[in-house]
Amino acid sequence: MQSTAENGRKNGNPFPLVIGQAAIKERLSRIIGSGRLAHAYLFAGQEGSGRLAMALELGRVLNCTRSDPLESRNGCDCNSCRGMLKLRHPNLYPVFPLPPTDKDKGEAAEKRLQEIISIKSDEVYAHLVFSGTGRVLVDQIRELHNKLALAKDRPGVRTIIVQPAERMREESANAFLKMLEEPPDDCCIILLAESTRELLPTIVSRCQLVRFPPLNTKDIVAGLTGTRGVDLKTARTAARLAEGSFTRALVLSNADTAGKLDESLEFLRASVVGNAHRITDVVNTWSAHNTRMEAKEKLSYTALWLKDAMVCKAFRDVSFSRYTTIPKNEDVIKRMAARYSPEQLRGAWRAVEETRTSIDDNINTPLALTALALKIRRILT
Ligand SMILES: [Zn+2]
């Protein structure tokens, strides 16, 4: 498989590593063109919206050996650009949360950092599972501060990327604030966060805020079918379920979609029939072998069946297969559309979505699924 960096460079678009986000690309192009770069940016948006990819692209253009940054924006193959997109560049200072271990702190931290760099250089949109206790440590910020205080020995703009910025506890955040108050020369600091909520207001106010909206389906499909080689049907299904996150779309397009669709249909069928044995079977299977995340994912597929039946109902005379993304299941969807009223389908869909969003660590998953099955039966019969 090709690396993301290579994938990106072959595209002719500005900031080729970044999927979609045309408005942000335009805004940053204007900033680069005018030469009025801020000292610090806050890229706020959900995982998979392209914040890290954009931060790396910005760092890449600011360090490219070509003389015209606007030309470099559309992709470049120089050593500096290649290094930046691989997260290995002398002017790149990535800061990721590390395990706060007492023993072998330095060694564990370095190992974790190399691990993250290796994952992200291969696929910049890959999901990172940060351990529950992972923090951006005050030592990391102090070390960064010391490094940046040294005179620069190479051209370009030193690019500091902190992801996720929410993982800075008060002590680290205050140390970081000092750096923002007196930014070192020739530096561009980029903080990545889900939102501004969990950050110190004093940090937010010193950064230029760039909001990353969820990606649209078209951009996600293009990203998946392009150099990542996902087939069109799978890409469409994944894009519809991804809620604007390319990271989520990557996970979904790798999953055994057909198998999950079958299981979610079996759940619907068992619910409608009201067969307690079958419901218990499905609920137990979903709860025993799966994490809560997977149960939620299966409910996404359950919701998709109902949504497609709603679309089929609405476009009675139109070939609905243009609208549905579930391949090879058109007969099932047609039968569902013929059998239930729009209100029934909408009601059942809403019930599934409510359960899906309510499942978290405090919810007993088998109980929630059983309650949902009973609700679906009441709505659809
Ligand atoms: Zn270059």
Side-chain angles (χ1 to χ4, degrees):
M1 200 174 153
Q2 287 182 325
S3 78
T4 328
E6 278 156 352
N7 293 344
R9 274 200 309 279
K10 287 183 181 157
N11 251 313
N13 310 316
F15 309 114
L17 192 63
V18 183
I19 288 162
Q21 305 296 18
I24 295 174
K25 288 178 177 176
E26 225 181 285
R27 180 173 164 193
L28 292 178
S29 295
R30 276 201 304 275
I31 291 172
I32 290 167
S34 71
R36 282 202 292 270
L37 189 74
H39 282 298
Y41 290 91
L42 171 58
F43 287 0
Q46 65 167 331
E47 184 192 24
S49 58
R51 300 160 307 165
L52 179 62
M54 194 68 236
L56 291 173
E57 280 284 17
L58 189 57
R60 178 182 73 74
V61 171
L62 296 174
N63 283 281
C64 179
T65 50
R66 285 200 209 178
S67 53
D68 181 3
L70 280 181
E71 197 186 307
S72 163
R73 195 184 45 144
N74 289 332
C76 171
D77 206 30
C78 77
N79 270 339
S80 170
C81 284
R82 279 209 304 269
M84 193 57 88
L85 296 188
K86 286 269 172 208
L87 286 90
R88 294 186 191 283
H89 192 288
N91 275 346
L92 176 69
Y93 300 84
V95 179
F96 294 105
L98 297 173
T101 42
D102 292 321
K103 261 197 304 177
D104 299 329
K105 203 175 192 172
E107 206 179 307
E110 184 56 27
K111 202 175 146 208
R112 178 77 181 127
L113 180 65
Q114 291 310 320
E115 203 184 345
I116 294 172
I117 288 175
S118 142
I119 294 170
K120 286 294 191 181
S121 66
D122 196 40
E123 172 55 80
V124 73
Y125 285 89
H127 175 57
L128 282 185
V129 187
F130 290 108
S131 75
T133 51
R135 295 272 170 251
V136 173
L137 311 173
V138 67
D139 287 351
Q140 286 173 271
I141 304 296
R142 285 192 190 128
E143 199 188 320
L144 177 68
H145 199 83
N146 293 342
K147 276 188 202 165
L148 294 172
L150 297 172
K152 238 171 54 139
D153 59 353
R154 61 182 64 243
V157 176
R158 291 178 292 180
T159 309
I160 296 110
I161 300 177
V162 182
Q163 182 197 28
E166 293 100 327
R167 289 299 179 94
M168 280 193 281
R169 277 276 169 84
E170 206 178 333
E171 203 185 1
S172 317
N174 281 324
F176 198 78
L177 192 59
K178 284 204 186 87
M179 206 155 67
L180 284 176
E181 281 165 348
E182 292 165 40
D185 289 339
D186 280 333
C187 270
C188 182
I189 298 169
I190 308 168
L191 297 177
L192 312 188
E194 295 256 332
S195 75
T196 55
R197 270 199 310 274
E198 288 178 51
L199 301 174
L200 288 182
T202 37
I203 286 190
V204 177
S205 67
R206 280 179 174 80
C207 299
Q208 293 254 328
L209 179 63
V210 182
R211 285 192 195 279
F212 281 65
L215 296 174
N216 65 43
T217 313
K218 199 172 134 239
D219 287 337
I220 293 180
V221 170
L224 289 174
T225 54
T227 39
R228 285 170 181 89
V230 177
D231 69 87
L232 187 60
K233 276 188 173 174
T234 308
R236 281 188 178 150
T237 309
R240 279 190 61 188
L241 295 172
E243 292 166 353
S245 160
F246 195 72
T247 302
R248 198 165 145 70
L250 279 174
V251 174
L252 289 165
S253 61
N254 283 333
D256 169 17
T257 309
K260 284 177 182 166
L261 281 169
D262 285 347
E263 280 183 49
S264 58
L265 184 64
E266 172 59 19
F267 176 66
L268 271 181
R269 282 182 172 142
S271 304
V272 172
V273 175
N275 183 321
H277 273 301
R278 275 172 73 187
I279 293 176
T280 312
D281 271 357
V282 176
V283 166
N284 285 343
T285 321
W286 285 22
S287 315
H289 304 298
N290 302 291
T291 62
R292 288 191 175 84
M293 273 304 285
E294 283 169 334
K296 286 178 86 136
E297 195 189 344
K298 283 180 184 159
L299 288 179
S300 296
Y301 285 102
T302 311
L304 190 60
W305 283 108
L306 294 161
K307 206 170 174 181
D308 274 349
M310 280 154 68
V311 173
C312 176
K313 190 119 197 146
F315 291 90
R316 226 170 281 126
D317 300 322
V318 182
S319 164
F320 70 87
S321 59
R322 276 174 55 209
Y323 300 92
T324 182
T325 47
I326 298 181
K328 296 179 202 155
N329 292 305
E330 298 176 355
D331 289 344
V332 180
I333 294 166
K334 273 184 188 162
R335 280 203 299 277
M336 282 169 69
R339 189 162 164 190
Y340 303 113
S341 71
E343 290 72 29
Q344 282 180 306
L345 292 171
R346 200 175 312 118
W349 174 77
R350 198 174 295 139
V352 173
E353 282 294 286
E354 274 167 15
T355 303
R356 185 178 70 84
T357 47
S358 75
I359 288 182
D360 61 24
D361 290 351
N362 303 318
I363 290 265
N364 177 322
T365 311
L367 214 61
L369 291 173
T370 309
L372 174 63
L374 295 174
K375 209 166 175 183
I376 290 174
R377 178 167 165 73
R378 268 203 310 278
I379 296 170
L380 294 185
T381 52

